[in-house]
Amino acid sequence: MSSPFEVLGVEPDADEATIVRAYRRRVKETHPDQGGSAREFQAVKEAYERIRAGDVDSEPAADDDKPAARRAESAGGGSRDSTSGGAQDSTENRENADRSDTPASGPDADRDAATTSRVEFVNHAVLDDHGWALDDEDLFEKAADADLAPEDHGAFEVEPGESLLEAAERHGFAWPFSCRGGACANCAVLLREGELSQPADHILPEELIEENIRLSCNGEPLTDELQVVYNVKHLPRLESLRLPPGPFEFSRTD
């Protein structure tokens, strides 16, 4: 069986930056949208997680007891139903993900886990049309006064245990995504207020986390109120983390 380093194509003494670059390259190469397979994609994710955890000597736990379809979903494979099925399928995907979340901060960090969260959103695609900028302090006030289409500005509630992307889909919004596993930035959002969890096996570098970029596919609200700008995948600093549009992505044409 190949070692985690062999799976990523790096030497055992590779530094962290080299490992991260190799991981980003390999998840793109093995992604089912790009001609890879669910098994290869999952193997790359598991190899990266083992290297990060320092678990490079022991054998990975066998997952032959999981149904094949379930393993494929956890690797980002499978089709997307643009109505209700996509959100239901992604719930199973999320159950297989690493649930080791980024610690919350702020007054709402210890909120009741059974509490719903309210998310107000703005579509990044409309900013240029109105001469707005991401760092405008009154961005959401401007959006509220601009009579935007429902998909460009609005609000919805996220249920406990539900990712931001799942909640958007449940409410009928077609937000961008590709892998649904934290391995690309197609589903990225910018947090303006509140906090969103981020499982440990995501692809975002620390500098983007510090800039309040999060992934909607596996991030769950940690605060009662959030304001997010979605569809930010075309920001230049996210270019290298995007996957080309595939059969699993359904988003507004920019």
Side-chain angles (χ1 to χ4, degrees):
M1 182 175 294
S2 299
S3 74
F5 298 105
E6 290 172 333
V7 173
L8 296 189
V10 298
E11 297 296 327
D13 59 353
D15 60 23
E16 182 177 358
T18 300
I19 292 171
V20 171
R21 285 195 299 270
Y23 171 61
R24 292 174 182 169
R25 183 187 71 252
R26 292 289 290 140
V27 293
K28 292 179 181 179
E29 293 172 348
T30 60
H31 195 279
D33 283 3
Q34 312 307 314
S37 69
R39 183 181 297 276
E40 291 175 315
F41 183 82
Q42 187 67 16
V44 169
K45 291 187 65 180
E46 290 176 355
Y48 180 62
E49 292 164 9
R50 289 178 62 195
I51 291 174
R52 290 189 60 182
D55 180 22
V56 295
D57 297 321
S58 61
E59 294 292 329
D63 77 337
D64 291 341
D65 55 334
K66 293 181 182 180
R70 181 75 170 268
R71 291 199 302 271
E73 286 173 1
S74 71
S79 60
R80 177 183 187 272
D81 183 336
S82 61
T83 54
S84 61
Q88 293 170 352
D89 290 345
S90 62
T91 300
E92 285 195 331
N93 173 26
R94 185 169 39 77
E95 288 173 355
N96 290 326
D98 184 344
R99 308 306 301 163
S100 182
D101 294 333
T102 303
S105 60
D108 293 318
D110 296 324
R111 74 187 187 97
D112 187 344
T115 303
T116 60
S117 295
R118 181 183 184 274
V119 177
E120 183 181 7
F121 64 86
V122 171
N123 186 352
H124 181 258
V126 305
L127 268 61
D128 285 345
D129 294 341
H130 294 270
W132 302 337
L134 277 174
D135 57 358
D136 286 349
E137 292 186 3
D138 58 348
L139 175 61
F140 281 80
E141 287 80 359
K142 291 176 179 177
D145 293 337
D147 194 27
L148 297 174
E151 66 269 21
D152 293 328
H153 174 256
F156 56 80
E157 288 193 344
V158 183
E159 297 294 335
E162 190 175 38
S163 75
L164 185 58
L165 178 61
E166 290 168 351
E169 292 173 334
R170 180 169 58 82
H171 287 279
F173 298 111
W175 285 18
F177 71 88
S178 186
C179 75
R180 301 190 83 107
C184 73
N186 291 44
C187 69
V189 299
L190 174 71
L191 283 175
R192 286 293 303 265
E193 285 189 12
E195 184 54 275
L196 198 68
S197 72
Q198 206 64 92
D201 58 349
H202 63 78
I203 199 173
L204 296 178
E206 188 61 32
E207 57 266 26
L208 289 180
I209 295 292
E210 292 176 356
E211 293 176 19
N212 289 326
I213 299 293
R214 300 290 188 273
L215 301 180
S216 66
C217 70
N218 54 15
E220 299 178 10
L222 296 174
T223 50
D224 293 333
E225 301 279 341
L226 286 87
Q227 286 184 335
V228 303
V229 180
Y230 82 96
N231 200 18
V232 299
K233 62 180 181 177
H234 292 298
L235 292 176
R237 55 190 181 275
L238 294 177
E239 181 176 2
S240 65
L241 305 180
R242 292 199 313 264
L243 285 171
F248 308 138
E249 182 169 7
F250 175 61
S251 63
R252 166 180 171 150
T253 302
D254 301 321

